[in-house]
Amino acid sequence: MQSPSRVAVLGGGSFGTAIANLIAENEHDVRLWLRNEERAAEINLQRVNSQYLPDLVLNERVSASTELAEAVKGAEYIFVAVPSKSIRQVAALLNKTIDKDSVLISLTKGIEADSYKLMSQVLAEELPGFPIGVMSGPNLAKEIAEKQLTATVIASESDELVAKVQKLLHCSYFRVYASHDMYGVE
């Protein structure tokens, strides 16, 4: 077992919540950032995100925050799971608060409407110089939350990033494959 890492997951929807919980169950500290104060309080007090995954009781190592700077402070890994229409805005805000040693992993699917850029390209523009990885199925948030056997692919130009994220996410029900083909995976 590796020593616990400090992880931020940006986006409190179903996929962000499921990934945050998986990482916490792997004994890492996870701060889940979302904009809705009531949902953040519900996660912190009742250990559930009733809007997106009502049947999942969240691990005690998951804490929610509506303050982006607080959520990413000291985070070694930042998983970005916000809607594609919001990713540039969130990345621009993140640029003001991110630690210089943080690693970014995009979980967001889609193409930016105005520029036709992939999410990793948007992150690279707004956060130049940071290592970036992308993650994609075949999986669904509900499958991960229910601990069904499933898999994912993490892709990056950085072998070190890929290896670290594989270790961070891998568990008995979640297999993490590696790739250098960010474009293909995304």
Side-chain angles (χ1 to χ4, degrees):
M1 173 69 193
Q2 61 185 341
S3 60
S5 295
R6 175 85 164 81
V7 179
V9 177
L10 310 183
S14 58
F15 204 79
T17 301
I19 290 296
N21 195 65
L22 181 148
I23 295 169
E25 287 182 345
N26 282 347
E27 300 184 9
H28 300 283
D29 298 317
V30 182
R31 182 64 57 108
L32 182 63
W33 176 74
L34 55 159
R35 295 177 191 235
N36 186 302
E37 290 184 20
E38 290 175 14
R39 193 168 312 115
E42 176 186 59
I43 289 168
N44 290 331
L45 299 173
Q46 299 173 14
R47 313 303 316 149
V48 68
N49 184 342
S50 64
Q51 183 173 357
Y52 290 102
L53 291 172
D55 298 328
L56 176 64
V57 177
L58 296 168
N59 187 285
E60 64 188 24
R61 293 184 91 142
V62 174
S63 62
S65 176
T66 57
E67 297 296 326
L68 184 62
E70 178 185 329
V72 301
K73 183 178 181 182
E76 298 167 62
Y77 304 92
I78 301 173
F79 288 80
V80 182
V82 298
S84 59
K85 67 181 180 183
S86 303
I87 199 162
R88 188 172 294 276
Q89 176 194 22
V90 170
L93 293 171
L94 188 59
N95 195 8
K96 299 173 185 171
T97 61
I98 190 172
D99 287 358
K100 64 178 173 47
D101 297 324
S102 295
V103 171
L104 301 165
I105 302 96
S106 175
L107 308 178
T108 302
K109 310 296 184 271
I111 296 171
E112 188 176 46
D114 296 338
S115 69
Y116 300 105
K117 292 184 178 174
L118 297 173
M119 300 298 101
S120 63
Q121 293 170 318
V122 173
L123 288 175
E125 281 183 6
E126 294 295 330
L127 298 155
F130 286 91
I132 296 174
V134 297
M135 194 173 101
S136 189
N139 54 59
L140 299 170
K142 187 175 178 184
E143 293 172 339
I144 297 167
E146 292 174 353
K147 298 182 181 178
Q148 294 181 24
L149 293 177
T150 190
T152 197
V153 179
I154 177 72
S156 177
E157 295 173 358
S158 166
D159 289 331
E160 182 181 3
L161 182 151
V162 169
K164 286 181 176 181
V165 173
Q166 281 183 295
K167 288 178 185 175
L168 190 72
L169 296 174
H170 177 80
C171 64
S172 63
Y173 61 90
F174 197 65
R175 177 82 186 247
V176 185
Y177 293 95
S179 175
H180 290 111
D181 184 8
M182 289 178 58
Y183 182 79
V185 168
E186 199 166 15

